[in-house]
Amino acid sequence: MQKRIAIIGTGYVGLTTGVCLASVGHRVTCVDVVPERVAAIEKGQAPFYEPRLAELLTAERASGRLAATTKLDEAVAAADITFIAVGTPQSERGIDLSHVREAARQIGTVLRSASGYRAVVVKSTVVPGTTETLVRQMLEESSGRRAGEFGLCMNPEFLREGSAIDDFLNPDRIVIGQWDERSGQALAEIYQPFECPKIFTTPSNAEMMKYASNALLATLISFINEIAGLCETTPHTDVRAVLQGVQLDRRLT
């Protein structure tokens, strides 16, 4: 079933999400505050390089399923589901959630006068607890509605630079952190074309899964580099052969 989707933020995660969801049949409008970025997308030009992104962007612009705008209010008013995919930069003081907060405030303002059931999905990487606290509170304050009257989910991304399109279209799993069952089902309808395990859980669990996944991958890379270093100094050892044997251990799954 085709859905109308708004995606706030056209960075690496936002634009990849928008292009891929358009490619499976949804009508997507990407929103950004930078006019030059929006103009490039409208011309079918990817504002950054990612394999297959430019080709898919051109195709979906031509199909009419993908558009871009600076007008958040119009895009959200026309959408069944709105994704928050703005940046959450890190600093010495911690993660910066100001863009997430502002996006939630603006979306809530639109929801105040919107008819029908709408859902809001956090796609940005955020500290566990953010969706159920900061995002929910901002949406409720600016919309005058309570969560449940509108849908609320956290849907983390697991994309790798250099293979983001393939990762999105052929996912290992899709995590749906739902405020309530209705919220989760609204989001799940978007992912019907994807054949993979779909995990329904709480927003905080979904947020923690993203952090845990990042931490595990970083740990594995460090571990493999150490093993590779040992193999280089140990005669007659090959790191590829060693890891092949290690990976067959059922306790690692």
Side-chain angles (χ1 to χ4, degrees), residues 41-149:
I41 295 171
E42 283 286 272
K43 294 177 183 177
Q45 300 171 355
F48 54 86
Y49 177 73
E50 176 66 29
R52 294 183 58 198
L53 177 61
E55 295 82 356
L56 208 54
L57 174 58
T58 299
E60 294 314 314
R61 282 292 298 125
S63 74
R65 288 190 294 266
L66 182 71
T69 183
T70 58
K71 298 178 180 178
L72 181 147
D73 55 345
E74 293 181 4
V76 175
D80 302 305
I81 294 185
T82 298
F83 284 82
I84 297 176
V86 297
T88 54
Q90 297 275 357
S91 69
E92 293 181 357
R93 297 181 178 179
I95 188 171
D96 182 358
L97 295 173
S98 60
H99 299 303
V100 172
R101 181 185 296 105
E102 179 60 16
R105 185 193 67 79
Q106 293 187 49
I107 293 166
T109 300
V110 177
L111 294 183
R112 179 176 288 273
S113 57
S115 60
Y117 184 76
R118 312 297 181 95
V120 180
V121 179
V122 177
K123 195 75 172 172
S124 304
T125 298
V126 294
V127 175
T130 299
T131 299
E132 293 178 291
T133 56
L134 183 149
V135 174
R136 176 184 60 81
Q137 291 166 4
M138 191 58 64
L139 287 169
E140 290 182 343
E141 288 175 10
S142 55
S143 70
R145 302 182 182 185
R146 305 290 294 176
E149 297 177 58

Side-chain angles (χ1 to χ4, degrees), residues 95-208:
I95 188 171
D96 182 358
L97 295 173
S98 60
H99 299 303
V100 172
R101 181 185 296 105
E102 179 60 16
R105 185 193 67 79
Q106 293 187 49
I107 293 166
T109 300
V110 177
L111 294 183
R112 179 176 288 273
S113 57
S115 60
Y117 184 76
R118 312 297 181 95
V120 180
V121 179
V122 177
K123 195 75 172 172
S124 304
T125 298
V126 294
V127 175
T130 299
T131 299
E132 293 178 291
T133 56
L134 183 149
V135 174
R136 176 184 60 81
Q137 291 166 4
M138 191 58 64
L139 287 169
E140 290 182 343
E141 288 175 10
S142 55
S143 70
R145 302 182 182 185
R146 305 290 294 176
E149 297 177 58
F150 59 83
L152 180 61
C153 288
M154 200 287 156
N155 176 220
E157 53 84 15
F158 302 100
L159 307 178
R160 297 169 296 171
E161 290 190 22
S163 60
I165 299 297
D166 287 335
D167 287 346
F168 194 102
L169 294 176
N170 301 284
D172 297 320
R173 75 291 202 195
I174 292 172
V175 177
I176 297 175
Q178 58 187 20
W179 173 260
D180 57 15
E181 186 174 348
R182 187 180 185 187
S183 300
Q185 289 304 313
L187 179 56
E189 289 179 6
I190 284 181
Y191 289 119
Q192 281 184 347
F194 298 86
E195 296 183 1
C196 67
K198 296 180 176 70
I199 301 171
F200 291 86
T201 186
T202 66
S204 292
N205 280 343
E207 291 160 341
M208 187 62 81

